[in-house]
Structure formats: C-alpha cells, structure tokens
Amino acid sequence: VQLQAYGGGLVQPGGSLRLSCVASGSIFSINAMGWYRQAPGKQRELVAHIISGGSTNYADSVKGRFTISRDNAKNTVYLQMNSLKTEDTAVYYCNADIKRFASRSSRNYWGQGTQVTVSS
C-alpha cells in the first residue's frame, strides 16, 4: 500500500492550492484519511481529518479556510486550501487507516510530504 501526495507549490498570501493524495495497492477498505503538516522547527500537527462516512474535523487555525473531502471510489483525499497565510507554510503529509485484503485489522500509512510555501 502506498500514499502519493500531489499539489504542493509556491503561492502568494491569500491564494489557493489543492492537495490530492491517492492510496494504491491491495486495499480492502479505508476508514479515516487526513492531512498533517510540519513547519520547520515545529512538531507535526493535524490539519484536517475525514472518516469514511464523511464526518470531518479541522485544526482551529484552518477552519473556514481549508476543506477536506474524499472520493472513496478513487481512494483519494483532497485538501482545498483557500486564503492561505504565510503561517500555512509547511510540508503537508497525507495519512490513512487502511485495511488490506486478507488482513485482520487496519494499519496507519503515511504518504511522502509535499511542500507548501506561502510567500510574496
């Protein structure tokens, strides 16, 4: 099982970016999917989280600006980021709880990070 993230880049303050993360491999089911970020010198923190039924939660710092969504048929999670601020600059990581075929339980997987830089 692999998670592949796309969509990072450089954007000016106030701009928008959309991140995508695709899970691939021998996947039976995916429960929770989410995005985390880690800024230089800081700990990794949860940005947003969505479960298979669609319930979401967000870090207070991104509420009203970021939207997480998922396409279960494509095993993909998205993060739409609007009104970006310089403090959103970080490496963004996707995360998912995935149950593989022939596995008794799910396991947590991480994707590679994608850099988001917000700067004028």
Side-chain angles (χ1 to χ4, degrees):
V1 171
Q2 289 187 329
L3 296 179
Q4 181 70 46
Y6 304 91
L10 173 64
V11 64
Q12 292 186 340
S16 298
L17 278 176
R18 189 193 196 205
L19 305 182
S20 303
C21 177
V22 182
S24 62
S26 181
I27 297 170
F28 176 75
S29 64
I30 303 177
N31 184 13
M33 303 185 84
W35 290 95
Y36 289 72
R37 67 186 181 187
Q38 187 166 18
K42 294 188 177 181
Q43 289 188 331
R44 190 174 298 189
E45 62 175 0
L46 174 68
V47 176
H49 178 260
I50 183 168
I51 63 173
S52 58
S55 295
T56 60
N57 69 288
Y58 297 90
D60 288 343
S61 59
V62 307
K63 282 180 181 176
R65 301 187 298 122
F66 290 11
T67 302
I68 189 170
S69 61
R70 62 191 284 174
D71 184 332
N72 292 328
K74 296 181 179 179
N75 292 335
T76 300
V77 62
Y78 306 97
L79 185 68
Q80 178 66 44
M81 304 185 293
N82 298 328
S83 302
L84 281 160
K85 304 176 180 180
T86 55
E87 51 263 44
D88 294 318
T89 295
V91 178
Y92 284 69
Y93 298 90
C94 59
N95 177 273
D97 287 326
I98 297 174
K99 186 176 185 299
R100 299 176 61 186
F101 285 105
S103 176
R104 290 176 174 263
S105 61
S106 62
R107 216 199 85 177
N108 194 252
Y109 291 86
W110 289 94
Q112 93 291 359
T114 185
Q115 178 70 47
V116 172
T117 302
V118 185
S119 175
S120 55

